[in-house]
Amino acid sequence: HLARALTDGYSQVEASVDALLDPAAFELLPDAPLGPFNAHGLQVHLVSHSAGEVTSMPGFQVMKHLPSFVSLSTDVTVGSTVEYTTSLSTSPGVCVLMNKDESKLNKDLGLLRYLEEINALFDYKTKVESLARPTAASYSKQQKRSSRVDDMEKPSLVRIYSNDPKLTRQGMLMKRMTTIDASKEVVVVVD
């Protein structure tokens, strides 16, 4: 679709078929594509900045309503597991965009990249975890003990900043280490 729209209605595949099966039609094609092209187009490989089991694909629905949208090729369905994109093979899909107005095409590309950045392509199945005090059973491996609070060999730890008088020193907020692994970090805002 993209190649036909950019040129005057033909593509390299069609030209190759005509060269073999219809030499007269092939001779009618120009030696080089006419310029300028009739439209602007992009083949966009999608990037996933998150991973998990997909429960819905709201970003795909938004994508399909973009003025420049032509097609979306993906193997992701509800129930699929999406991984972080690290190469073309882990890309969750390819979206083709095309528009006669290059600024509109770039605006749609910007929105698509923004959806990726804010992890809005997919909704994932969530794991409900208790925010109760951690116990020894909540750790999969033994933690190293150290006498220094800021020991760099410890795993990344979340620091709590609080206005609670019990956690402050002379009215100033104080940093306190927790035993929660940063990979399981959560932000709780209490007003």
Side-chain angles (χ1 to χ4, degrees):
H1 297 292
L2 184 59
R4 275 191 242 118
L6 298 177
T7 61
D8 284 325
Y10 65 93
S11 71
Q12 181 180 1
V13 173
E14 292 162 333
S16 298
V17 170
D18 285 345
L20 294 171
L21 303 177
D22 191 355
F26 179 74
E27 290 299 323
L28 295 175
L29 296 175
D31 292 335
L34 302 175
F37 288 128
N38 297 331
H40 303 274
L42 296 169
Q43 181 175 336
V44 183
H45 291 268
L46 302 175
V47 176
S48 176
H49 297 283
S50 55
E53 184 180 334
V54 176
T55 59
S56 68
M57 301 167 285
F60 286 179
Q61 297 309 312
V62 171
M63 214 180 291
K64 290 175 182 178
H65 289 89
L66 293 174
S68 302
F69 179 81
V70 174
S71 67
L72 174 65
S73 176
T74 182
D75 291 332
V76 178
T77 59
V78 172
S80 297
T81 299
V82 172
E83 301 297 329
Y84 291 98
T85 300
T86 57
S87 66
L88 288 177
S89 65
T90 55
S91 170
V94 176
C95 179
V96 176
L97 301 175
M98 180 186 62
N99 202 307
K100 289 185 184 278
D101 184 341
E102 186 176 13
S103 65
K104 289 180 182 176
L105 176 75
N106 289 331
K107 186 177 177 181
D108 288 349
L109 175 62
L111 177 61
L112 195 150
R113 292 302 187 202
Y114 178 70
L115 291 172
E116 292 172 334
E117 286 175 29
I118 64 169
N119 295 318
L121 293 180
F122 310 107
D123 287 331
Y124 298 102
K125 184 176 183 180
T126 57
K127 291 182 187 176
V128 179
E129 293 185 28
S130 172
L131 295 178
R133 185 178 201 176
T135 65
S138 67
Y139 291 97
S140 59
K141 59 184 177 181
Q142 191 70 3
Q143 300 285 328
K144 277 186 167 182
R145 293 196 183 257
S146 173
S147 59
R148 285 190 64 207
V149 171
D150 291 324
D151 188 346
M152 296 306 286
E153 290 192 12
K154 283 186 175 182
S156 299
L157 299 176
V158 178
R159 294 177 185 248
I160 297 175
Y161 296 89
S162 174
N163 284 324
D164 185 337
K166 295 176 189 173
L167 300 177
T168 59
R169 227 182 271 153
Q170 299 171 352
M172 302 287 293
L173 293 178
M174 102 181 160
K175 297 177 186 177
R176 300 205 33 157
M177 299 297 280
T178 71
T179 57
I180 300 173
D181 182 33
S183 68
K184 299 174 185 170
E185 182 176 345
V186 64
V187 175
V188 178
V189 178
V190 180
D191 188 14

